[in-house]
Amino acid sequence: MENGNKATEKGNKTTYSDNANAEEDMPLSIPYSTAASEFLYGSNVVLAALRAKRRRIHHLYVSRGAQDRSSESAGTIRNIFDLARRNEVPIEADASIKLLDKISGDRPHNGVILETSKLPAPPTLSLSKPDLKTSIIPVTLDRQSAEDISVNGAPSALSTSTKGWRYPFVIMLDGILDPANLGSVMRTAHFYGADAVAIATNTCAPLTSAVLAKASSGACEAVQLLALPKPANFVFDSAKAGWRIYASVAPMLPGQATARDVSRQTTTTAVSLDSPLARAPVILMLGAEGEGLRNNLTSKADHLISIEAEEKMNWDVDVGVDSLNVGVAAGVLIEAFMRKPATGTTAAEKARQGDLGF
């Protein structure tokens, strides 16, 4: 490209504009293709969205600097271009940094931004008994408009990755307002192979947040997401179908717990030694750091699980760190559940062979 020309691709065609330099001096407006468009930024997030094909893709913006073959992300950028061209995504191949900065809200974007539809997250009322032989979980959905169905679909069941020793495992999030924390939990859930992440839509950060997508490093494009319009009812109805409900809580001090709480208490150590996933499907509920889960959720849990910490030494300075960030806590908890029992054939394995259900 010479003389300030600007390259734009539509499908496999490239067009040129002579006004690139003039445009730099013009007031910038964000170029929405639709009123419901979202913008994803960062090469890893954009590549994940193109690979997953779960969203409708409207437009790809790439700066000239991002295409420098000497850059560390050059291979990723080539993959992004290849996928976009293969799927006939319109490409602006010489997007100005000023425009990309404005779209991303001055957050790091690596010179790559993708305009897309929303993430699919069907509004789910309850989960039914999983079918281990076909690896599906029947679901009951709330009503959706035709527009919502075009984004979320209207599945009657979820497919699971569970094929071995365990039953399905769903992470449920409530009260997590920081989109970075929400994205971090999604990344952890995807890494360990959780079957879905269910999100209380009225109390958590919106799934439309580009910060969430960036924090998840693209994992939000791969993990199955469920929106929960009625979280307490979701827990109650899923429990009736045989799901075991675990609520993550802070360790209780002596005298704090009621008799019922004491009977429901367990720890990450106990769970890691004998994972309940070997015997039944599990929903693990996580709340915000500090406030934790709401009472109307913890009251419906079969078990209250806490992370054990080593007894602290008598430090001279108390810096006030007495809990884990929810993203870190999620990793500790999920790892405990996903640890396969050391010996024996599990109930899940027998169920897959047709010997028993749950």
Side-chain angles (χ1 to χ4, degrees), residues 131-170:
D131 185 333
L132 296 188
K133 291 186 177 180
T134 59
S135 296
I136 65 168
I137 306 170
V139 298
T140 301
L141 300 184
D142 201 0
R143 293 179 180 177
Q144 300 187 85
S145 66
E147 182 179 356
D148 288 336
I149 290 175
S150 71
V151 173
N152 300 320
S156 59
L158 305 176
S159 60
T160 77
S161 58
T162 310
K163 299 185 184 300
W165 64 271
R166 67 174 179 86
Y167 280 89
F169 186 33
V170 172

Side-chain angles (χ1 to χ4, degrees), residues 183-195:
S184 174
V185 175
M186 289 180 189
R187 182 175 182 174
T188 301
H190 176 59
F191 175 82
Y192 280 105
D195 295 289

